[in-house]
Amino acid sequence: MNDHLIPRTESAYSYPLLIKNLLQAPLVAAPDQEIVYRDSLRYTYRTLGERICRLANVLTSLGVKAGDTVAVMDWDSHRYLECFFAVPMIGAVLHTINVRLSPEQILYTIDHAEDDVLLVNSEFVPLLEQIKGRLDTVRTFVLLTDDRKPVAGSIPFAGEYEELLAAAPTSFDFPDFDENTRATTFYSTGTTGLPKGVYFSHRQLVLHTFATVAALATPLTHGRFHRQDVYMPITPMFHVHAWGLPYVATMLGVKQVYPGRYVPEQLLELIARERVTFSHCVPTILHMLLKSPASATVDLAGWKVIIGGASMSRTLCLEALQRGIDLFTGYGMSETCPILTLAHLTPEMLARPAAEQAEIRCKTGIPLPLVHLRLVDEQFRDVPRDGQSTGELVVRAPWLTQGYLKDHKASAKLWEGGWLHTSDVANIDPHGYAKITDRTKDVIKVAGEWLSSLELEDLLVHHPAVAEVAVIGQPDEKWGERPLALVVTKPDQQPPVTEKQLLHHVREYAEKGLISKQVVLLRLRFVAAIDKTSVGKTNKVALREKYL
Amino acid sequence: MNDHLIPRTESAYSYPLLIKNLLQAPLVAAPDQEIVYRDSLRYTYRTLGERICRLANVLTSLGVKAGDTVAVMDWDSHRYLECFFAVPMIGAVLHTINVRLSPEQILYTIDHAEDDVLLVNSEFVPLLEQIKGRLDTVRTFVLLTDDRKPVAGSIPFAGEYEELLAAAPTSFDFPDFDENTRATTFYSTGTTGLPKGVYFSHRQLVLHTFATVAALATPLTHGRFHRQDVYMPITPMFHVHAWGLPYVATMLGVKQVYPGRYVPEQLLELIARERVTFSHCVPTILHMLLKSPASATVDLAGWKVIIGGASMSRTLCLEALQRGIDLFTGYGMSETCPILTLAHLTPEMLARPAAEQAEIRCKTGIPLPLVHLRLVDEQFRDVPRDGQSTGELVVRAPWLTQGYLKDHKASAKLWEGGWLHTSDVANIDPHGYAKITDRTKDVIKVAGEWLSSLELEDLLVHHPAVAEVAVIGQPDEKWGERPLALVVTKPDQQPPVTEKQLLHHVREYAEKGLISKQVVLLRLRFVAAIDKTSVGKTNKVALREKYL
């Protein structure tokens, strides 16, 4: 159909969707807006624009060319924000290193991504010293410090970030190039095997930014992001571009606060002092903030928070709602840039009591514009959207990784049949709200029927004596699989809760028809702790190895 | 730099930016939302989705193929909205015919666009009868009626729209194709020469939709478009896609009201009955609505209106503000899809008195995200952004026509130097707000210096005796040009205003330094009426021919 394409005048400018173009609007409309880093730095968007140019000059003078990879090991900072722009804007690839991985895994990702330059926060220099001799690709190191103090050790730093920037010119002529050029790379911390690299182009990041704005800015009030908000990420910038929100906030010229390493008391202080109104985090962080003694004196009413990365319990949701926090679920994964759905409530849903609202706020949500979400069975047939029937979520959107870096086999599996497989099992209700009930690999198949381990976990964690729980499938000759619950009890429970009491708790729900009868096959085991992955998710692979 | 593009897994879905994908979100999230046509029809988005499929089936059964052109002659209707989607979604081109052109001009555009199919409202059948014998390309006619009544005449209609749709299936498998495929075409009604065709691709319309949402949805309250709004266009759908807002409203699942032909009393009734909260129109229409006796009983407070197409006077703006209307300027043109800038006020500006706000609301505004606006002099050097210095606005954005259809010479001129030339003369203030002071061709060059005809018109129209005014440049041996004002006085002014009084009025401003001293060279001429173009703009070409 090429003959139906629009004709182009020779001199007409064919506009590519490049990250640099996200800066057009804010630098005109909001040059005096603020970017804040902890309690140590505060500058304007005008300065941000200049610093992005300075960083581009520093990197090119260090020999960075288009197609090279620049890796960063830092906590959430203004420096990271500058890298989000400057690195891809010169045509290089930004590798955001997950600093919570083990040194060996970090080495693996640096090697696999073929990083040329490494920008490293002084805090991570000791870690880097451990693997330094084995970094085959890195030819330049830049030191990131908050205090400009040199660090001891043997790494031959080309300089300290702030000093290099101070000496560089404040303008840079960013080139145009193909919008399908790779902009970012990072590693998905799966619970199985080696980390897998995902990657995103300029076009993908620009489109993710616009679709996220279209979803977040358009609700009447609840869960709404606007130009007068104050944004602070509490999901690391190394993790799926901090959900892409730094790009959104920058394009809208919104005040931004970067908190460094996450320390609950400091986060609360920043929220109060900078009047933070919009954030996103995993349930664990929210839980820590609410439990922190410092939170008692901080007014959190009106704070809008997207919760993602793990499912939120209704208990936590209700507790946050009582504090006046406007929280709702967002869903996505490393492979999806990440945002696919948001659990915004309609005005009619907002009129319902908190307990009913919590039910919806904890759902996975409705798709962003352009997101085509399907719920399919094992034969790839569409499953009814009745809020009951479950299937796997498969998706198409303009911002999904087009594969795993240098891993054809896993790439082909991810994109089997032309749809990205989320490996998440969900239902979709008649209002279009998806709800994840399990990971495909975490579903327990009892007598040929699916039993949701997440549902069972949610039910057990509601017992007052239970601190934490993980449910896995135990192979069983008769049933195929039987659910096994690994339970961490709360300390100081007198008398300690018994297996019998917990089984009774579960059966009550089954008798009321609130959960499948198959839960009567549940087995329990009290454990001291639940194994976690590097990003704090329950590590079911490790649990299976340990307990089965 | 092709080696730096993201690698694609063979089975990975490469997502094109097609108009069909704008429907993904609303059909999931807002299937029960309403579309209203005057007082005669009301249906849901679910039905809209089905009707788009029905129309696609009707068109393909009439032989429409990808690359064919389907033209529409209709007032603003649900049918037009369906054509906005169904026609491009089957790979065809939608030609939105300007029904205000003369029959000869309409014939010219149909011929030039090579229309294959023509959908025509029964009201325009008599017009069509006049040119019918000379329509060389059109092979199929479809009749659009509100009442399904057949019309007299000799045009061999293939059927009536509603009847054809009723007989067609409610599903259609819309194909994927290149996002640079042409989606729409229409003709720019310039004041010189023959109408010029502009054209837009699927990608351009999708990106215009997202950037418009990013600009319109993100202000705190003023001038904000959100999901609970009720949208009604009052800028014709044949004119630059009704500013692209029907695509925006549909993607967001917003209630939409289509008013048919614009009759002030009916528009006011729809605003009141359907609780319309968001519209866009030219100043003339707003003026008519406010002056209509029917408007006295309609509460217009909270109605958000983008004003564009012609510059808004401060008087009209203040009058509308007094009625509680939240109005602000939008800027663009046929060549730009159209929106480039919006004159949203910052919260700080909103705290100022109405008179000062009006000053900003009447400006051209700040650029949408991704829009790169430059103000340049005749040597293409950037002009200072001091709110005083003027230059031509030139622009780059992802949604600008890449030329004029089959007109290489005009295309090359439009895109001279790789920037789209707006031919608008403007200044930009230090806050980034552009303000158009003139069209390049309407600027009057007195003794080598530019004098703004618009500024002079604005000044004269403030005199209580003046109803309307147009200023043109009169060739002058000594000065190069001298301004000539063509003045229509208000009826029943006793005694009638004199030339001397008006010149005195103008000189007072010059003495206060509010306008260039060159205005002392002004000449005046009282006329009965000012010639207009088909879209109601002052026709300076006609005026020059007539009076010079």
Side-chain angles (χ1 to χ4, degrees):
Chain A
M1 289 190 47
N2 280 355
D3 46 335
H4 308 136
L5 304 192
I6 48 169
R8 286 197 195 282
T9 303
E10 207 184 327
S11 57
Y13 181 69
S14 175
Y15 193 112
L17 298 177
L18 298 178
I19 287 171
K20 69 172 179 178
N21 292 317
L22 297 178
L23 289 171
Q24 290 289 357
L27 291 182
V28 171
D32 298 315
Q33 184 61 278
E34 281 185 317
I35 313 273
V36 179
Y37 173 53
R38 301 176 63 184
D39 47 7
S40 54
L41 192 67
R42 185 179 292 273
Y43 63 64
T44 65
Y45 270 59
R46 190 179 290 111
T47 303
L48 173 68
E50 288 173 2
R51 288 175 59 96
I52 289 169
C53 289
R54 286 179 192 270
L55 178 53
N57 281 308
V58 167
L59 292 172
T60 48
S61 73
L62 291 174
V64 177
K65 302 177 310 297
D68 285 357
T69 301
V70 177
V72 176
M73 294 177 75
D74 198 4
W75 301 117
D76 293 4
S77 68
H78 62 297
R79 296 178 294 255
Y80 226 136
L81 180 67
E82 291 154 13
C83 290
F84 266 40
F85 285 91
V87 175
M89 280 164 67
I90 60 173
V93 180
L94 173 68
H95 173 197
T96 57
I97 293 178
N98 181 344
V99 296
R100 294 207 195 115
L101 295 178
S102 70
E104 286 304 316
Q105 282 178 309
I106 288 177
L107 173 64
Y108 172 82
T109 64
I110 292 174
D111 222 45
H112 192 266
E114 302 173 42
D115 296 342
D116 299 287
V117 177
L118 188 50
L119 279 64
V120 59
N121 185 310
S122 54
E123 273 193 55
F124 305 115
V125 170
L127 184 156
L128 205 58
E129 292 279 357
Q130 295 177 49
I131 55 174
K132 178 194 64 170
R134 291 179 288 156
L135 294 172
D136 296 332
T137 62
V138 182
R139 50 171 203 267
T140 309
F141 296 88
V142 173
L143 180 65
L144 312 175
T145 69
D146 283 1
D147 51 13
R148 302 204 187 184
K149 282 194 188 135
V151 296
S154 63
I155 294 167
F157 287 110
E160 192 275 334
Y161 187 88
E162 287 298 335
E163 282 169 12
L164 291 170
L165 257 64
T170 56
S171 70
F172 189 94
D173 191 15
F174 291 102
D176 273 3
F177 42 76
D178 193 311
E179 66 188 26
N180 295 306
T181 299
R182 186 149 61 105
T184 62
T185 283
F186 54 88
Y187 285 76
S188 162
T189 51
T191 47
T192 51
L194 287 163
K196 289 200 211 53
V198 294
Y199 48 89
F200 299 92
S201 68
H202 284 254
R203 170 185 163 107
Q204 291 184 312
L205 285 162
V206 169
L207 293 174
H208 181 269
T209 302
F210 275 95
T212 301
V213 170
L216 276 182
T218 52
L220 183 56
T221 51
H222 142 68
R224 175 189 174 215
F225 194 45
H226 57 71
R227 293 187 214 165
Q228 309 311 315
D229 270 317
V230 178
Y231 165 69
M232 180 172 83
I234 325 184
T235 311
M237 297 180 84
F238 63 72
H239 185 60
V240 211
H241 323 109
W243 296 3
L245 269 294
Y247 287 119
V248 171
T250 304
M251 183 177 83
L252 298 181
V254 159
K255 177 175 167 183
Q256 302 180 52
V257 180
Y258 288 90
R261 186 179 192 153
Y262 300 159
V263 181
E265 291 66 36
Q266 286 171 15
L267 291 172
L268 287 162
E269 197 194 312
L270 280 171
I271 291 169
R273 194 183 69 211
E274 303 297 337
R275 301 171 191 276
V276 171
T277 58
F278 201 97
S279 296
H280 44 81
C281 65
V282 292
T284 317
I285 290 264
L286 180 65
H287 183 80
M288 282 166 60
L289 290 178
L290 295 180
K291 291 301 171 211
S292 161
S295 109
T297 58
V298 177
D299 181 10
L300 296 175
W303 187 34
K304 295 167 280 191
V305 184
I306 315 178
I307 299 291
S311 77
M312 166 166 59
S313 76
R314 267 162 294 177
T315 317
L316 179 62
C317 182
L318 283 167
E319 199 180 335
L321 285 175
Q322 269 163 16
R323 292 289 301 266
I325 300 172
D326 178 12
L327 80 175
F328 57 105
T329 298
Y331 166 65
M333 40 201 251
S334 298
E335 289 80 353
T336 64
C337 200
I339 307 181
L340 295 176
T341 68
L342 291 167
H344 277 125
L345 279 67
T346 62
E348 179 235 331
M349 293 169 180
L350 286 166
R352 300 184 197 163
E356 283 181 44
Q357 282 189 32
E359 196 76 32
I360 306 162
R361 289 174 190 262
C362 292
K363 287 203 176 202
T364 306
I366 50 173
L368 257 60
L370 301 185
V371 170
H372 191 176
L373 203 64
R374 280 179 67 195
L375 190 67
V376 296
D377 66 15
E378 283 168 347
Q379 280 75 47
F380 227 80
R381 291 171 303 203
D382 285 290
V383 164
R385 299 188 168 210
D386 55 12
Q388 300 281 336
S389 312
T390 55
E392 187 192 357
L393 286 177
V394 297
V395 66
R396 286 176 168 178
W399 49 82
L400 311 182
T401 192
Q402 297 286 294
Y404 290 115
L405 207 58
K406 302 189 261 183
D407 187 342
H408 293 296
K409 205 176 148 191
S411 297
K413 195 163 170 244
L414 180 70
W415 275 105
E416 205 181 330
W419 291 77
L420 185 140
H421 290 256
T422 66
S423 293
D424 282 321
V425 175
N427 63 54
I428 297 183
D429 71 21
H431 298 289
Y433 289 72
K435 182 175 171 61
I436 294 192
T437 55
D438 235 312
R439 297 282 297 167
T440 45
K441 56 180 174 293
D442 294 341
V443 159
I444 301 164
K445 245 182 172 173
V446 184
E449 300 219 351
W450 281 0
L451 178 69
S452 166
S453 63
L454 291 191
E455 214 177 334
L456 201 43
E457 286 164 9
D458 192 45
L459 201 152
L460 278 162
V461 93
H462 273 76
H463 190 281
V466 173
E468 225 179 338
V469 64
V471 173
I472 54 180
Q474 189 171 32
D476 184 279
E477 264 188 42
K478 183 171 178 192
W479 302 101
E481 281 190 316
R482 286 181 67 161
L484 171 66
L486 305 163
V487 176
V488 182
T489 54
K490 287 185 184 160
D492 310 323
Q493 294 276 336
Q494 286 306 333
V497 70
T498 63
E499 185 174 333
K500 200 175 157 188
Q501 286 170 324
L502 288 179
L503 289 174
H504 177 73
H505 170 78
V506 168
R507 283 199 190 115
E508 274 188 334
Y509 283 83
E511 278 159 23
K512 287 181 195 150
L514 296 169
I515 191 167
S516 152
K517 293 281 179 199
Q518 295 151 337
V519 297
V520 300
L521 294 169
L522 180 68
R523 280 173 182 156
L524 279 167
R525 183 157 171 184
F526 292 102
V527 296
I530 304 281
D531 296 63
K532 297 280 164 58
T533 68
S534 68
V535 292
K537 294 188 190 184
T538 301
N539 189 341
K540 295 212 172 171
V541 175
L543 292 174
R544 285 191 200 102
E545 274 174 21
K546 208 163 175 177
Y547 297 106
L548 296 183
Chain B
M1 289 190 46
N2 280 357
D3 45 337
H4 308 135
L5 303 193
I6 49 168
R8 288 197 195 282
T9 303
E10 207 184 328
S11 57
Y13 181 70
S14 176
Y15 193 113
L17 298 177
L18 297 178
I19 287 170
K20 69 172 178 179
N21 292 316
L22 297 177
L23 289 171
Q24 290 288 358
L27 292 182
V28 170
D32 298 315
Q33 183 60 278
E34 282 184 317
I35 315 273
V36 179
Y37 174 53
R38 301 176 64 185
D39 48 5
S40 54
L41 192 68
R42 184 180 294 272
Y43 62 64
T44 65
Y45 270 60
R46 190 180 291 110
T47 302
L48 173 68
E50 288 172 3
R51 287 176 59 97
I52 290 169
C53 290
R54 286 180 192 269
L55 178 53
N57 281 308
V58 167
L59 292 172
T60 48
S61 74
L62 291 174
V64 177
K65 302 176 310 299
D68 284 358
T69 301
V70 177
V72 176
M73 294 177 75
D74 197 5
W75 302 117
D76 294 4
S77 68
H78 62 296
R79 296 178 293 256
Y80 226 136
L81 180 68
E82 290 155 15
C83 289
F84 267 41
F85 286 91
V87 175
M89 281 164 67
I90 59 172
V93 180
L94 173 69
H95 173 197
T96 58
I97 294 180
N98 181 344
V99 295
R100 294 206 194 117
L101 294 178
S102 69
E104 286 303 317
Q105 282 178 310
I106 289 178
L107 172 65
Y108 172 82
T109 64
I110 291 174
D111 221 45
H112 191 267
E114 301 173 42
D115 296 342
D116 299 288
V117 177
L118 188 49
L119 280 64
V120 59
N121 184 309
S122 53
E123 275 193 54
F124 304 115
V125 170
L127 185 156
L128 205 58
E129 292 279 359
Q130 295 178 47
I131 55 174
K132 176 194 65 168
R134 291 179 287 155
L135 293 173
D136 296 333
T137 62
V138 182
R139 53 170 202 266
T140 310
F141 296 87
V142 173
L143 180 65
L144 312 176
T145 69
D146 284 0
D147 51 13
R148 301 201 188 187
K149 283 193 189 135
V151 296
S154 64
I155 295 167
F157 288 111
E160 191 276 333
Y161 187 88
E162 287 298 334
E163 281 170 13
L164 292 170
L165 256 64
T170 56
S171 69
F172 190 94
D173 190 15
F174 291 101
D176 273 3
F177 42 75
D178 193 310
E179 65 189 26
N180 295 305
T181 299
R182 186 147 62 105
T184 63
T185 284
F186 52 88
Y187 285 77
S188 162
T189 51
T191 47
T192 50
L194 287 163
K196 290 200 211 55
V198 294
Y199 48 89
F200 300 93
S201 69
H202 283 254
R203 170 186 163 106
Q204 292 184 312
L205 285 162
V206 169
L207 292 174
H208 180 270
T209 303
F210 275 95
T212 302
V213 171
L216 277 182
T218 52
L220 183 56
T221 50
H222 142 67
R224 176 190 172 214
F225 195 45
H226 58 72
R227 292 186 214 165
Q228 309 312 316
D229 270 317
V230 178
Y231 165 70
M232 181 172 83
I234 324 183
T235 312
M237 297 179 85
F238 63 71
H239 185 59
V240 210
H241 324 108
W243 297 2
L245 269 295
Y247 287 120
V248 171
T250 305
M251 183 177 82
L252 298 181
V254 160
K255 176 175 167 183
Q256 302 180 52
V257 180
Y258 288 90
R261 185 181 193 152
Y262 301 159
V263 181
E265 291 66 35
Q266 286 172 15
L267 291 171
L268 286 163
E269 196 195 313
L270 280 170
I271 290 170
R273 194 184 70 212
E274 302 297 337
R275 299 172 194 276
V276 172
T277 59
F278 200 98
S279 295
H280 44 80
C281 65
V282 292
T284 317
I285 290 265
L286 180 64
H287 183 80
M288 281 166 60
L289 291 178
L290 294 181
K291 292 301 172 213
S292 161
S295 109
T297 57
V298 177
D299 180 10
L300 297 174
W303 187 35
K304 295 168 279 190
V305 184
I306 315 179
I307 299 291
S311 76
M312 164 166 59
S313 76
R314 267 162 294 177
T315 317
L316 178 62
C317 182
L318 283 167
E319 198 180 336
L321 285 175
Q322 267 163 17
R323 292 290 302 266
I325 300 172
D326 178 12
L327 82 175
F328 56 104
T329 298
Y331 167 65
M333 39 202 250
S334 297
E335 289 81 351
T336 64
C337 199
I339 307 182
L340 296 175
T341 68
L342 291 167
H344 277 124
L345 280 65
T346 63
E348 179 235 333
M349 293 169 180
L350 286 166
R352 299 184 197 164
E356 284 182 43
Q357 283 190 31
E359 196 78 32
I360 307 163
R361 289 174 189 262
C362 292
K363 286 202 176 202
T364 306
I366 50 172
L368 256 61
L370 300 184
V371 170
H372 191 176
L373 203 64
R374 279 178 67 193
L375 190 67
V376 297
D377 66 15
E378 283 170 347
Q379 281 74 48
F380 228 80
R381 291 171 302 204
D382 285 290
V383 165
R385 299 188 166 210
D386 54 13
Q388 299 280 336
S389 311
T390 54
E392 188 191 358
L393 286 178
V394 296
V395 66
R396 286 176 168 178
W399 50 81
L400 311 182
T401 191
Q402 297 285 293
Y404 290 114
L405 206 58
K406 302 190 261 180
D407 187 342
H408 292 296
K409 206 176 149 192
S411 297
K413 195 162 170 245
L414 180 70
W415 275 106
E416 204 182 330
W419 290 76
L420 184 140
H421 290 256
T422 65
S423 294
D424 282 322
V425 175
N427 63 54
I428 297 183
D429 71 22
H431 297 290
Y433 289 72
K435 182 175 170 60
I436 294 191
T437 56
D438 235 312
R439 296 283 296 168
T440 47
K441 57 179 172 293
D442 294 341
V443 159
I444 301 164
K445 245 183 173 172
V446 184
E449 300 220 351
W450 281 0
L451 178 70
S452 165
S453 64
L454 290 191
E455 213 177 337
L456 200 45
E457 286 164 8
D458 192 45
L459 201 152
L460 278 163
V461 94
H462 273 76
H463 189 282
V466 173
E468 224 180 337
V469 64
V471 173
I472 54 179
Q474 188 172 31
D476 184 279
E477 264 190 38
K478 184 171 175 189
W479 301 101
E481 280 190 316
R482 286 182 69 161
L484 170 66
L486 305 163
V487 177
V488 181
T489 54
K490 287 185 185 161
D492 311 323
Q493 294 276 335
Q494 286 306 338
V497 69
T498 63
E499 185 175 334
K500 200 175 157 187
Q501 285 171 325
L502 288 179
L503 289 174
H504 177 73
H505 171 77
V506 168
R507 283 198 189 115
E508 273 188 334
Y509 282 84
E511 277 158 23
K512 286 182 195 151
L514 296 170
I515 190 166
S516 154
K517 292 281 179 198
Q518 295 152 339
V519 296
V520 300
L521 296 169
L522 179 69
R523 279 173 182 157
L524 280 166
R525 184 157 170 182
F526 292 103
V527 297
I530 304 281
D531 297 63
K532 298 279 162 59
T533 69
S534 70
V535 293
K537 294 188 190 185
T538 300
N539 188 342
K540 294 212 171 173
V541 175
L543 292 175
R544 283 191 201 102
E545 274 173 21
K546 207 164 174 178
Y547 296 106
L548 296 183

